[in-house]
Amino acid sequence: MSVATVLQRCRDEGRAALVGYLPVGFPTVPGSIEAMRALVESGADIVEIGVPYSDPVMDGPVIQDAAVRALAGGVRVRDAFTAARAVVDSGAAALVMTYWNPVLHHGVESFAAELAAAGGAGLITPDLIPDEASEWIAAARRHDLDTVFLVAPSSTPERLATVAKACRGFVYATAVMGVTGARATVGEAAEDLVARTRAVTDLPVCVGLGVSTGDQAAELSRFADGVIVGSALVRCLGSAPSEAEGLTRLRTLATELADGVRRGRA
Amino acid sequence: MTHAPPGRFGGFGGRYVPEALVPALEQLDEERRKAVVDPEFVGELERLHQTYTGRPSIITEVPRFAQHCGGARVVLKREDLNHTGSHKINNVLGQALLTKRMGKTRVIAETGAGQHGVATATAAALLGLECVVYMGRKDTERQALNVARMRLLGAEVVAVEHGSQTLKDAVNEAFRDWVANVATTHYVLGTVTGPHPFPEMVRDFHRIIGVEARQQVLDLIGRLPDVVCACVGGGSNAMGIFHRFIDDAGVRLVGLEAGGSGIASGKHAARFSTGEPGVLHGAYTYVLQDEDGQTIESHSVSAGLDYPSVGPEHAYLRETGRAEYRPVTDDEAMAAFALLSRTEGILPAIESAHALAGAMQLGRELGPDAVILVNLSGRGDKDVHTAARWFGLLETPGSQPALGHQDPSGTGGSR
């Protein structure tokens, strides 16, 4: 399922999409896939499947710790393809979010081919800017995959145009300057960035970084095409005394967020 | 040499960073290009070199040490005599002046051995900048004196608890800080890696090492050296001394990597022995990595060489054959450390001792006609505790001090 189809459907319903991030392999590979299914059942439209990486410079402590645990548990890059298949089968679009070296080491062309074969929609690449991405963009176009790059509050109009031009699917707007992790407020800089991004592209713009509550999701959904939530969901799994309790907490939060993206424009 | 795109050394280098940092990297690139042709900037840096750092640093011929190097003539470039005790100050002063030019008020830095952290804290004190230094928890323990030194200089030292708790994790944490605070903060990256323009800019600030040394060796010996040896962690001191010699085709450039417990042990930081090309910390270069592209932790007795990646220009120099790289084990480096101390009265940094061990190998290979220039990148004061433990020189409860009864070089006799 393509991201464009999902975002169009949400737009037709007069709401923003809920995009939920979970790393594959946390707490275990089957446990993470179970959690992704729960996320979709609770209302996520798109699942971002995180590939745990040893040096995640864009991530705060919650996702760093999850990556450490997933890697210690033996997660492999190829597990992201298994997760993508499971997400698609449960009815959502699957985007893989990965730092660049695991893709590069796997082989860009074979990564694209395997992701496409698993039904994945494309990649979000937090440390790959379009200037360095020609090989990936070419492979993605060959395999009909989305290429989601990030823009930030620091992005100049020239950079916004460069990045948006390389994107397919949507443009990922980081709401704040910083790494992943829940924050008390996320609105102001995000709204400005979304407006500046819309000035240079017709692509949907989804907002992430720092979002953790239904109210924040509602606030962002007033002006964003999608609301991206990561650390807050991961924390549900990481802080729970058991896997079952983790899933319960995850469903509760995802339901709250799904409600948020539905009432923001009401 | 073919025309590479900006920020590339052949296929190596580039800019693999979060988009949020791109404007800051573009600003930095523009500013440093302007600065190096601005007489005011150049004059101020030169004045600091002369009146603060103590440049030019001298060269010292070391004949008693050279007896253990196959009789070759060995000349040390004494970066250890710079203010703060290593070459690191050359780059830091340049970047601190750039920070002021860009109107930023805060600097951050990563450090392994502590030398770059100390140099950054020093420059921040000198120029009135706020300073935070990230250091792996393990490194704060093995380099405790440098932690105190940075704090005395007014810097905040943050012990990084994530991952391997060494230099690579300190770099990760510095990048995270930078993404959040880039509007007011400059990241004083301490070596010749990272996203463009860092590898080129840091090299250019250290290039003075080779410029001075080349002339000094010509003045002393009347010809160029046969070999230039330097240790390579990230590779800043090596690029600094190599660069002026690159067009001197007859001069071999030899980088010495940390071989740790030996290549076969898997516990080392010899990226060019077992690493493969990949991306780490913003650059495409050689990286110690597993079959999934996950970074493998490096190991070395030397905190400053304990890094799983290496500057992209070194990868290029190796690929083109202009420079060669060899591993030196912990044992070999510590033997060279002890040897220079006893034969010449110079305590080298353990990092630099890897270059000395390389000179011992090369001298034995080339014989008495050879001239070997070694970059003595830092002094060993910070390593006294590590070396004392290594050689068993510390008093243990209930025993006599062992000092004076040890034979660090393993060649017989006690002094």
Side-chain angles (χ1 to χ4, degrees), chain B residues 224-357:
Chain B
L224 292 174
D226 299 290
V227 186
V228 179
C229 288
C231 64
V232 181
S236 67
N237 90 82
M239 277 319 306
I241 198 162
F242 285 176
H243 197 258
R244 181 62 184 85
F245 290 97
I246 285 178
D247 292 335
D248 298 319
V251 179
R252 279 172 71 182
L253 306 176
V254 182
L256 290 311
E257 299 187 279
S261 308
I263 302 304
S265 73
K267 291 187 168 303
H268 61 80
R271 292 70 42 104
F272 289 131
S273 291
T274 65
E276 297 172 78
V279 167
L280 183 64
H281 295 151
Y284 179 64
T285 180
Y286 273 70
V287 180
L288 295 179
Q289 54 188 313
D290 70 12
E291 54 184 332
D292 264 359
Q294 308 286 351
T295 310
I296 295 174
E297 289 178 22
S298 54
H299 295 269
S300 171
V301 66
S302 150
L305 304 184
D306 197 351
Y307 184 60
S309 175
V310 60
E313 193 168 7
H314 285 294
Y316 174 69
L317 290 178
R318 177 176 184 267
E319 189 183 67
T320 58
R322 181 61 192 93
E324 53 199 288
Y325 297 83
R326 300 177 173 197
V328 165
T329 64
D330 290 350
D331 287 336
E332 291 166 332
M334 293 310 291
F337 176 99
L339 190 63
L340 188 75
S341 303
R342 289 179 165 216
T343 56
E344 301 286 349
I346 298 170
L347 283 182
I350 296 176
E351 289 77 20
S352 320
H354 287 70
L356 293 166

Side-chain angles (χ1 to χ4, degrees), chain B residues 214-228:
Chain B
R214 187 176 182 279
Q215 188 59 51
Q216 287 165 323
V217 171
L218 281 175
D219 291 346
L220 178 75
I221 294 176
R223 68 173 180 90
L224 292 174
D226 299 290
V227 186
V228 179

Side-chain angles (χ1 to χ4, degrees), chain A residues 52-59 64-65 71 75-77 100-102 104-105 126-130 132 150-152 154-155 159 163 177-179, chain B residues 8 14-20 22-23 26 162 168-169 172-173 175-176 179-180 182 276-281 284 289-295:
Chain A
Y53 177 52
S54 52
D55 295 274
V57 296
M58 266 293 282
D59 285 305
Q64 283 178 48
D65 290 347
L71 289 169
V75 70
R76 300 295 309 270
V77 167
W100 188 236
N101 200 49
L104 192 61
H105 200 78
D127 65 345
L128 184 72
I129 57 176
E132 305 287 359
L150 282 66
V151 293
S154 60
S155 299
R159 289 301 304 173
V163 175
M177 291 297 287
V179 296
Chain B
R8 289 278 176 175
R15 191 179 265 174
Y16 297 85
V17 290
E19 180 67 32
V22 171
E26 288 180 344
H162 301 293
K168 92 174 171 73
D169 307 283
N172 291 340
E173 207 57 28
F175 270 113
R176 292 182 189 116
V179 172
V182 66
E276 297 172 78
V279 167
L280 183 64
H281 295 151
Y284 179 64
Q289 54 188 313
D290 70 12
E291 54 184 332
D292 264 359
Q294 308 286 351
T295 310

Side-chain angles (χ1 to χ4, degrees), chain B residues 397-409:
Chain B
S399 76
Q400 292 298 309
L403 196 69
H405 298 281
Q406 293 298 308
D407 176 24
S409 63

